[in-house]
Structures are given as C-alpha cells and as structure tokens.
Amino acid sequence: MHQLYMILSGVAIAGAYVPFVVGTLRGPIVPNRATWLSWFVLDCLMAASGIASNIGPSVIMPIIWGVGAAIMLWLAFTKGSRDPFTILEKTCLVMSGVGILLWATVGSPRLAMIASVSACAIGGIPTLIKAWKQPWTESMAGWLLMITGSIFSSLAVEVWTFDSGFLPITMGVYQTIVTIPLVREWARTTRRSSL
C-alpha cells in the first residue's frame, strides 16, 4: 500500500506542474524567479544525491520536482517579472544557498535533511508573500495538487519518526499556507460573479 501512495504522490506532484505551466503561458500566473531558482538547484541536488545513493523508486520524487522546477525556472525568467531581484528575494536566495551548502557538506544525515528542507522553505518565502499579496498570480489548482502529493507522500511513510515525517509535514504546511489566500480569492471571485 505504501508503494501505491508513493506513486499517487508522484502523479499528483507531476500533475501540479500542468496548471502552473499553462497558467504561466496563458496568464495570469507569474512564477517568482528567486523561489524557482532555489527550488531548481535544491531539487537537482536531491535527485543527484538519490541516484548516487541508489535509494530506489523513491528517487522519482526529486526527479519529478527537478524537471518541474526546471520548466518553471525557465518560465519564471522568460514570462515572469523583469524587475530586479528585491532585497527580500536576494536575502532568501543567499539564505537558501547557505542551507544548500550545509546540506551538501554536513556529516549528519539529520542535519543535512533539516538544512535542505529549510533551504526549500526559505527559498519559497517570496512565493508565499506573493500568494498573500497577489493571489491571482498563483495557481490554486497547482497548489492543491501539491498538497495532495504531500498527503499521499505522508501516507507512504511506513514508520513515523522525525526523519521520515519532517519533509512531508513541513512541505504540506508550507503548501497549505500558500494555498489559503488562493482559495479565499477564488471564493471571493466566485461570490462576486454569482451576484
């Protein structure tokens, strides 16, 4: 059953990129360059690490994230904002870079995991803020599918420990915080159009 949940998680996460890509190409989705740059680097490192460590089928998750992040990074730089990076974005890029560096160099697997998940969350701060300030520039369907992927990923955990639960719980919380203003905006827009 755990393998099925892992497959469903991969399908949901891969599917999440479809509304992100389509929404960016057609508008009004505007991916944040700093966030997707951080996520692309981290996802590629995680995929490379998983392949090198021969972790088996679970390597599919970071590979899906890496391919999706590569597409979104390209779209962020070609279709996204042309404004210079803000101080917040630069700060998040630097802090995420420090987390990635710690992840790559620390000797403890637990500290490496905490550093990588922290780098991912810090890199996502610009998108989180944008979602609350300009919810129409994010894809509600994409983020709901990401949450679904995190739920299935959590269900795939066979034995719950800090190490096995930290990533799916942290990412699920982050994704939920990003999605709340998108759902609120959708409800507000739906209510207005029905009047």
Side-chain angles (χ1 to χ4, degrees):
M1 193 67 161
H2 297 286
Q3 288 285 42
L4 173 63
Y5 289 137
M6 189 183 311
I7 291 167
L8 291 173
S9 176
V11 169
I13 291 169
Y17 286 106
V18 173
F20 286 134
V21 170
V22 171
T24 302
L25 291 173
R26 293 184 180 165
I29 307 306
V30 183
N32 182 276
R33 294 170 300 167
T35 291
W36 287 105
L37 178 58
S38 294
W39 288 349
F40 169 73
V41 171
L42 188 60
D43 292 342
C44 288
L45 288 172
M46 282 195 303
S49 175
I51 291 167
S53 301
N54 196 23
I55 62 172
S58 60
V59 76
I60 194 70
M61 298 305 299
I63 290 173
I64 291 170
W65 289 333
V67 170
I71 295 167
M72 291 307 298
L73 177 63
W74 178 74
L75 288 172
F77 277 95
T78 58
K79 303 281 186 190
S81 172
R82 302 271 187 225
D83 297 336
F85 283 121
T86 65
I87 292 173
L88 172 70
E89 289 170 328
K90 289 177 186 176
T91 303
C92 289
L93 279 170
V94 168
M95 290 175 65
S96 181
V98 168
I100 291 169
L101 182 66
L102 287 172
W103 172 68
T105 59
V106 72
S108 163
R110 177 174 285 172
L111 290 176
M113 178 199 54
I114 292 169
S116 67
V117 173
S118 299
C120 186
I122 291 167
I125 289 172
T127 292
L128 189 145
I129 291 171
K130 182 170 74 74
W132 281 86
K133 288 185 174 180
Q134 302 170 323
W136 57 89
T137 66
E138 286 294 327
S139 170
M140 183 180 74
W143 284 107
L144 287 172
L145 282 167
M146 285 287 186
I147 291 171
T148 303
S150 289
I151 290 169
F152 282 129
S153 180
S154 296
L155 292 172
V157 174
E158 293 184 40
V159 178
W160 277 91
T161 64
F162 178 83
D163 294 340
S164 67
F166 187 68
L167 175 64
I169 295 297
T170 303
M171 294 317 301
V173 169
Y174 171 84
Q175 293 158 352
T176 301
I177 293 170
V178 169
T179 307
I180 288 170
L182 310 182
V183 172
R184 288 175 56 202
E185 177 68 14
W186 172 80
R188 191 172 22 248
T189 304
T190 303
R191 206 174 14 225
R192 271 191 229 131
S193 65
S194 66
L195 295 177

